[in-house]
mmCIF file of all heavy atoms in Angstrom:
data_model
loop_
_atom_site.group_PDB
_atom_site.id
_atom_site.type_symbol
_atom_site.label_atom_id
_atom_site.label_comp_id
_atom_site.label_asym_id
_atom_site.label_seq_id
_atom_site.Cartn_x
_atom_site.Cartn_y
_atom_site.Cartn_z
ATOM 1 N N PHE A 1298 127.023 194.689 143.531
ATOM 2 C CA PHE A 1298 126.716 194.942 142.127
ATOM 3 C C PHE A 1298 127.178 196.348 141.755
ATOM 4 O O PHE A 1298 126.729 197.333 142.349
ATOM 5 C CB PHE A 1298 125.209 194.847 141.864
ATOM 6 C CG PHE A 1298 124.603 193.511 142.201
ATOM 7 C CD1 PHE A 1298 123.978 193.308 143.423
ATOM 8 C CD2 PHE A 1298 124.655 192.464 141.297
ATOM 9 C CE1 PHE A 1298 123.404 192.087 143.736
ATOM 10 C CE2 PHE A 1298 124.086 191.233 141.604
ATOM 11 C CZ PHE A 1298 123.458 191.037 142.829
ATOM 12 N N SER A 1299 128.051 196.435 140.766
ATOM 13 C CA SER A 1299 128.498 197.738 140.272
ATOM 14 C C SER A 1299 128.291 197.800 138.769
ATOM 15 O O SER A 1299 128.777 196.936 138.026
ATOM 16 C CB SER A 1299 129.978 197.959 140.602
ATOM 17 O OG SER A 1299 130.438 199.166 140.017
ATOM 18 N N VAL A 1300 127.578 198.831 138.333
ATOM 19 C CA VAL A 1300 127.313 198.966 136.904
ATOM 20 C C VAL A 1300 128.597 199.206 136.127
ATOM 21 O O VAL A 1300 128.678 198.917 134.923
ATOM 22 C CB VAL A 1300 126.296 200.107 136.657
ATOM 23 C CG1 VAL A 1300 126.925 201.462 136.907
ATOM 24 C CG2 VAL A 1300 125.718 200.039 135.249
ATOM 25 N N ASN A 1301 129.621 199.701 136.784
ATOM 26 C CA ASN A 1301 130.900 199.949 136.104
ATOM 27 C C ASN A 1301 131.509 198.672 135.538
ATOM 28 O O ASN A 1301 132.251 198.719 134.544
ATOM 29 C CB ASN A 1301 131.898 200.603 137.068
ATOM 30 C CG ASN A 1301 131.519 202.032 137.399
ATOM 31 O OD1 ASN A 1301 130.915 202.717 136.597
ATOM 32 N ND2 ASN A 1301 131.870 202.472 138.591
ATOM 33 N N GLU A 1302 131.211 197.532 136.154
ATOM 34 C CA GLU A 1302 131.764 196.270 135.679
ATOM 35 C C GLU A 1302 131.147 195.833 134.357
ATOM 36 O O GLU A 1302 131.629 194.893 133.722
ATOM 37 C CB GLU A 1302 131.567 195.170 136.732
ATOM 38 C CG GLU A 1302 132.231 195.449 138.066
ATOM 39 C CD GLU A 1302 133.734 195.603 137.953
ATOM 40 O OE1 GLU A 1302 134.316 195.143 136.953
ATOM 41 O OE2 GLU A 1302 134.339 196.203 138.868
ATOM 42 N N ALA A 1304 130.684 198.057 131.848
ATOM 43 C CA ALA A 1304 131.144 199.009 130.835
ATOM 44 C C ALA A 1304 132.404 198.482 130.176
ATOM 45 O O ALA A 1304 133.273 197.914 130.835
ATOM 46 C CB ALA A 1304 131.401 200.372 131.454
ATOM 47 N N VAL A 1309 131.885 204.860 127.398
ATOM 48 C CA VAL A 1309 130.791 205.361 128.215
ATOM 49 C C VAL A 1309 129.672 204.328 128.240
ATOM 50 O O VAL A 1309 129.383 203.685 127.234
ATOM 51 C CB VAL A 1309 130.262 206.702 127.644
ATOM 52 C CG1 VAL A 1309 129.068 207.195 128.459
ATOM 53 C CG2 VAL A 1309 131.372 207.740 127.645
ATOM 54 N N LEU A 1310 129.073 204.149 129.392
ATOM 55 C CA LEU A 1310 127.946 203.224 129.501
ATOM 56 C C LEU A 1310 126.802 203.652 128.584
ATOM 57 O O LEU A 1310 126.509 204.836 128.444
ATOM 58 C CB LEU A 1310 127.447 203.189 130.949
ATOM 59 C CG LEU A 1310 128.242 202.346 131.937
ATOM 60 C CD1 LEU A 1310 127.861 202.736 133.352
ATOM 61 C CD2 LEU A 1310 127.993 200.870 131.706
ATOM 62 N N HIS A 1311 126.150 202.674 127.981
ATOM 63 C CA HIS A 1311 124.974 202.980 127.174
ATOM 64 C C HIS A 1311 123.816 202.110 127.643
ATOM 65 O O HIS A 1311 123.958 201.252 128.512
ATOM 66 C CB HIS A 1311 125.268 202.785 125.685
ATOM 67 C CG HIS A 1311 125.826 201.444 125.340
ATOM 68 N ND1 HIS A 1311 125.076 200.286 125.336
ATOM 69 C CD2 HIS A 1311 127.083 201.079 124.994
ATOM 70 C CE1 HIS A 1311 125.821 199.266 124.990
ATOM 71 N NE2 HIS A 1311 127.059 199.721 124.786
ATOM 72 N N MET A 1315 123.392 198.978 130.495
ATOM 73 C CA MET A 1315 122.620 199.193 131.716
ATOM 74 C C MET A 1315 121.474 198.192 131.827
ATOM 75 O O MET A 1315 121.159 197.708 132.914
ATOM 76 C CB MET A 1315 122.106 200.625 131.759
ATOM 77 C CG MET A 1315 123.205 201.652 132.013
ATOM 78 S SD MET A 1315 122.558 203.322 132.233
ATOM 79 C CE MET A 1315 124.035 204.159 132.816
ATOM 80 N N PHE A 1318 122.846 194.996 132.971
ATOM 81 C CA PHE A 1318 123.148 195.075 134.400
ATOM 82 C C PHE A 1318 121.906 194.815 135.242
ATOM 83 O O PHE A 1318 121.933 194.020 136.188
ATOM 84 C CB PHE A 1318 123.737 196.443 134.716
ATOM 85 C CG PHE A 1318 124.048 196.683 136.164
ATOM 86 C CD1 PHE A 1318 124.982 195.907 136.827
ATOM 87 C CD2 PHE A 1318 123.407 197.691 136.871
ATOM 88 C CE1 PHE A 1318 125.275 196.121 138.169
ATOM 89 C CE2 PHE A 1318 123.694 197.919 138.196
ATOM 90 C CZ PHE A 1318 124.628 197.128 138.850
ATOM 91 N N LEU A 1339 124.677 198.114 146.039
ATOM 92 C CA LEU A 1339 124.425 198.535 144.662
ATOM 93 C C LEU A 1339 125.134 199.850 144.397
ATOM 94 O O LEU A 1339 124.949 200.834 145.118
ATOM 95 C CB LEU A 1339 122.921 198.724 144.423
ATOM 96 C CG LEU A 1339 122.546 199.361 143.074
ATOM 97 C CD1 LEU A 1339 122.840 198.408 141.925
ATOM 98 C CD2 LEU A 1339 121.093 199.801 143.053
ATOM 99 N N HIS A 1340 125.976 199.864 143.360
ATOM 100 C CA HIS A 1340 126.623 201.096 142.917
ATOM 101 C C HIS A 1340 126.183 201.369 141.491
ATOM 102 O O HIS A 1340 126.571 200.669 140.558
ATOM 103 C CB HIS A 1340 128.140 200.964 142.989
ATOM 104 C CG HIS A 1340 128.851 202.223 142.586
ATOM 105 N ND1 HIS A 1340 130.120 202.238 142.047
ATOM 106 C CD2 HIS A 1340 128.457 203.529 142.629
ATOM 107 C CE1 HIS A 1340 130.474 203.485 141.776
ATOM 108 N NE2 HIS A 1340 129.475 204.282 142.124
ATOM 109 N N TRP A 1341 125.354 202.396 141.340
ATOM 110 C CA TRP A 1341 124.779 202.750 140.034
ATOM 111 C C TRP A 1341 125.307 204.114 139.613
ATOM 112 O O TRP A 1341 125.208 205.092 140.352
ATOM 113 C CB TRP A 1341 123.261 202.789 140.129
ATOM 114 C CG TRP A 1341 122.569 203.256 138.876
ATOM 115 C CD1 TRP A 1341 122.355 204.535 138.479
ATOM 116 C CD2 TRP A 1341 122.007 202.425 137.869
ATOM 117 N NE1 TRP A 1341 121.678 204.570 137.286
ATOM 118 C CE2 TRP A 1341 121.462 203.285 136.885
ATOM 119 C CE3 TRP A 1341 121.895 201.046 137.693
ATOM 120 C CZ2 TRP A 1341 120.804 202.801 135.754
ATOM 121 C CZ3 TRP A 1341 121.248 200.573 136.572
ATOM 122 C CH2 TRP A 1341 120.716 201.446 135.618
ATOM 123 N N VAL A 1342 125.881 204.200 138.409
ATOM 124 C CA VAL A 1342 126.326 205.466 137.850
ATOM 125 C C VAL A 1342 125.409 205.798 136.685
ATOM 126 O O VAL A 1342 125.414 205.098 135.669
ATOM 127 C CB VAL A 1342 127.794 205.396 137.378
ATOM 128 C CG1 VAL A 1342 128.220 206.744 136.796
ATOM 129 C CG2 VAL A 1342 128.703 205.006 138.519
ATOM 130 N N ASP A 1343 124.605 206.835 136.839
ATOM 131 C CA ASP A 1343 123.687 207.233 135.774
ATOM 132 C C ASP A 1343 124.477 207.851 134.626
ATOM 133 O O ASP A 1343 125.505 208.488 134.833
ATOM 134 C CB ASP A 1343 122.663 208.234 136.309
ATOM 135 C CG ASP A 1343 121.431 208.303 135.421
ATOM 136 O OD1 ASP A 1343 121.231 207.385 134.619
ATOM 137 O OD2 ASP A 1343 120.693 209.277 135.549
ATOM 138 N N ASN A 1344 123.961 207.695 133.418
ATOM 139 C CA ASN A 1344 124.687 208.105 132.216
ATOM 140 C C ASN A 1344 124.188 209.439 131.697
ATOM 141 O O ASN A 1344 123.008 209.607 131.427
ATOM 142 C CB ASN A 1344 124.527 207.033 131.133
ATOM 143 C CG ASN A 1344 125.567 207.179 130.041
ATOM 144 O OD1 ASN A 1344 125.919 208.292 129.662
ATOM 145 N ND2 ASN A 1344 126.061 206.070 129.539
ATOM 146 N N LEU A 1345 125.102 210.376 131.536
ATOM 147 C CA LEU A 1345 124.749 211.710 131.062
ATOM 148 C C LEU A 1345 124.302 211.713 129.609
ATOM 149 O O LEU A 1345 123.519 212.539 129.189
ATOM 150 C CB LEU A 1345 125.950 212.646 131.223
ATOM 151 C CG LEU A 1345 125.798 214.100 130.765
ATOM 152 C CD1 LEU A 1345 124.709 214.780 131.571
ATOM 153 C CD2 LEU A 1345 127.118 214.847 130.908
ATOM 154 N N ASP A 1347 122.806 209.166 127.754
ATOM 155 C CA ASP A 1347 121.906 208.132 127.279
ATOM 156 C C ASP A 1347 120.506 208.358 127.829
ATOM 157 O O ASP A 1347 120.290 209.153 128.736
ATOM 158 C CB ASP A 1347 122.421 206.748 127.689
ATOM 159 C CG ASP A 1347 122.086 205.705 126.646
ATOM 160 O OD1 ASP A 1347 120.893 205.527 126.401
ATOM 161 O OD2 ASP A 1347 123.022 205.111 126.072
ATOM 162 N N TYR A 1349 118.540 205.954 129.216
ATOM 163 C CA TYR A 1349 118.226 205.145 130.379
ATOM 164 C C TYR A 1349 118.740 205.859 131.621
ATOM 165 O O TYR A 1349 119.931 205.949 131.849
ATOM 166 C CB TYR A 1349 118.865 203.765 130.271
ATOM 167 C CG TYR A 1349 118.224 202.754 131.194
ATOM 168 C CD1 TYR A 1349 117.414 201.765 130.696
ATOM 169 C CD2 TYR A 1349 118.414 202.812 132.568
ATOM 170 C CE1 TYR A 1349 116.809 200.833 131.537
ATOM 171 C CE2 TYR A 1349 117.816 201.903 133.414
ATOM 172 C CZ TYR A 1349 117.020 200.909 132.889
ATOM 173 O OH TYR A 1349 116.422 200.007 133.730
ATOM 174 N N THR A 1350 117.852 206.371 132.429
ATOM 175 C CA THR A 1350 118.244 207.166 133.579
ATOM 176 C C THR A 1350 117.869 206.466 134.876
ATOM 177 O O THR A 1350 117.231 205.408 134.885
ATOM 178 C CB THR A 1350 117.556 208.544 133.552
ATOM 179 O OG1 THR A 1350 116.154 208.359 133.776
ATOM 180 C CG2 THR A 1350 117.785 209.234 132.217
ATOM 181 N N VAL A 1351 118.254 207.092 135.965
ATOM 182 C CA VAL A 1351 117.934 206.528 137.268
ATOM 183 C C VAL A 1351 116.434 206.512 137.530
ATOM 184 O O VAL A 1351 115.943 205.753 138.362
ATOM 185 C CB VAL A 1351 118.686 207.315 138.366
ATOM 186 C CG1 VAL A 1351 118.066 208.677 138.584
ATOM 187 C CG2 VAL A 1351 118.739 206.535 139.665
ATOM 188 N N LEU A 1354 115.456 203.151 136.680
ATOM 189 C CA LEU A 1354 115.968 202.244 137.703
ATOM 190 C C LEU A 1354 115.037 202.228 138.913
ATOM 191 O O LEU A 1354 114.666 201.167 139.425
ATOM 192 C CB LEU A 1354 117.372 202.680 138.127
ATOM 193 C CG LEU A 1354 117.952 201.985 139.361
ATOM 194 C CD1 LEU A 1354 118.275 200.531 139.054
ATOM 195 C CD2 LEU A 1354 119.179 202.704 139.872
ATOM 196 N N GLN A 1377 124.267 203.284 146.483
ATOM 197 C CA GLN A 1377 125.035 204.437 146.012
ATOM 198 C C GLN A 1377 124.648 204.720 144.568
ATOM 199 O O GLN A 1377 124.905 203.910 143.677
ATOM 200 C CB GLN A 1377 126.537 204.152 146.113
ATOM 201 C CG GLN A 1377 127.016 203.977 147.543
ATOM 202 C CD GLN A 1377 128.486 203.611 147.615
ATOM 203 O OE1 GLN A 1377 128.871 202.497 147.283
ATOM 204 N NE2 GLN A 1377 129.315 204.559 148.036
ATOM 205 N N ILE A 1378 124.016 205.877 144.360
ATOM 206 C CA ILE A 1378 123.547 206.263 143.032
ATOM 207 C C ILE A 1378 124.182 207.586 142.660
ATOM 208 O O ILE A 1378 123.962 208.604 143.317
ATOM 209 C CB ILE A 1378 122.007 206.380 142.991
ATOM 210 C CG1 ILE A 1378 121.371 205.043 143.384
ATOM 211 C CG2 ILE A 1378 121.535 206.815 141.613
ATOM 212 C CD1 ILE A 1378 119.861 205.089 143.457
ATOM 213 N N ASP A 1379 124.976 207.568 141.620
ATOM 214 C CA ASP A 1379 125.642 208.771 141.125
ATOM 215 C C ASP A 1379 124.862 209.269 139.919
ATOM 216 O O ASP A 1379 124.951 208.708 138.825
ATOM 217 C CB ASP A 1379 127.083 208.447 140.743
ATOM 218 C CG ASP A 1379 127.894 209.712 140.455
ATOM 219 O OD1 ASP A 1379 127.291 210.799 140.419
ATOM 220 O OD2 ASP A 1379 129.113 209.602 140.263
ATOM 221 N N THR A 1380 124.063 210.316 140.120
ATOM 222 C CA THR A 1380 123.157 210.776 139.070
ATOM 223 C C THR A 1380 123.819 211.814 138.184
ATOM 224 O O THR A 1380 124.637 212.611 138.629
ATOM 225 C CB THR A 1380 121.890 211.394 139.687
ATOM 226 O OG1 THR A 1380 122.275 212.419 140.607
ATOM 227 C CG2 THR A 1380 121.087 210.349 140.420
ATOM 228 N N ALA A 1381 123.429 211.829 136.918
ATOM 229 C CA ALA A 1381 123.945 212.796 135.953
ATOM 230 C C ALA A 1381 122.921 213.907 135.741
ATOM 231 O O ALA A 1381 121.782 213.823 136.177
ATOM 232 C CB ALA A 1381 124.255 212.103 134.631
ATOM 233 N N TYR A 1384 118.455 215.543 133.834
ATOM 234 C CA TYR A 1384 117.159 216.030 134.274
ATOM 235 C C TYR A 1384 117.394 216.823 135.546
ATOM 236 O O TYR A 1384 118.475 216.779 136.129
ATOM 237 C CB TYR A 1384 116.165 214.885 134.497
ATOM 238 C CG TYR A 1384 116.730 213.679 135.190
ATOM 239 C CD1 TYR A 1384 116.761 213.591 136.574
ATOM 240 C CD2 TYR A 1384 117.262 212.616 134.451
ATOM 241 C CE1 TYR A 1384 117.296 212.489 137.203
ATOM 242 C CE2 TYR A 1384 117.794 211.512 135.077
ATOM 243 C CZ TYR A 1384 117.812 211.455 136.443
ATOM 244 O OH TYR A 1384 118.341 210.369 137.070
ATOM 245 N N THR A 1409 124.869 210.810 145.473
ATOM 246 C CA THR A 1409 125.809 211.779 144.935
ATOM 247 C C THR A 1409 125.540 212.036 143.465
ATOM 248 O O THR A 1409 125.193 211.129 142.718
ATOM 249 C CB THR A 1409 127.249 211.250 145.087
ATOM 250 O OG1 THR A 1409 127.479 210.952 146.453
ATOM 251 C CG2 THR A 1409 128.263 212.283 144.625
ATOM 252 N N GLY A 1410 125.711 213.275 143.016
ATOM 253 C CA GLY A 1410 125.575 213.565 141.598
ATOM 254 C C GLY A 1410 125.147 214.984 141.321
ATOM 255 O O GLY A 1410 125.191 215.858 142.185
#
Side-chain angles (χ1 to χ4, degrees):
F1298 301 97
S1299 175
V1300 72
N1301 290 330
E1302 300 299 340
V1309 177
L1310 281 164
H1311 53 73
M1315 289 186 169
F1318 178 62
L1339 172 69
H1340 182 207
W1341 175 277
V1342 180
D1343 200 17
N1344 197 322
L1345 179 62
D1347 214 300
Y1349 199 107
T1350 69
V1351 73
L1354 170 70
Q1377 295 176 288
I1378 301 176
D1379 190 352
T1380 54
Y1384 42 87
T1409 304

